[in-house]
Amino acid sequence: RAAGWAVVREERSFYVLPRAGHHVVLSAACPHEQCEVVWSVESDEFLCPCHDSRFGPEGARLEGPAARDLEQLPARVEGGVLQVFFDDAGTSA
């Protein structure tokens, strides 16, 4: 991440959903209070461990205090490397 004159390395979690011909990248941060969601194989959905929000396999909000879907992040493949764009607030622009 570039911030002014500094270049800072940060770790951010996201999920890559392979689709025919492209990838869909979802932020792992729950839109309610930014807790990291986890994938549940048993229920085939993303679950927020903090406040029990639930999201479908494409990131759509199913229930809970989260008011919106998981955020889809802009991404591209360049030189065989997946690049994901985050803005300074930790979400996509």
Side-chain angles (χ1 to χ4, degrees), residues 12-16 25-27 72-77 81-87 92:
R12 304 271 174 96
S13 297
F14 53 87
Y15 289 93
V16 179
V25 179
L26 297 177
S27 172
Q72 186 171 330
L73 302 172
R76 67 181 180 192
V77 176
V81 176
L82 177 65
Q83 299 176 344
V84 179
F85 176 77
F86 289 89
D87 70 10
S92 67

Side-chain angles (χ1 to χ4, degrees), residues 32-53:
H32 177 238
E33 290 192 9
Q34 304 302 305
C35 292
E36 191 168 308
V37 299
V38 295
W39 175 252
S40 170
V41 174
E42 295 82 25
S43 60
D44 198 33
E45 61 192 10
F46 294 100
L47 306 173
C48 179
C50 295
H51 302 104
D52 298 324
S53 288

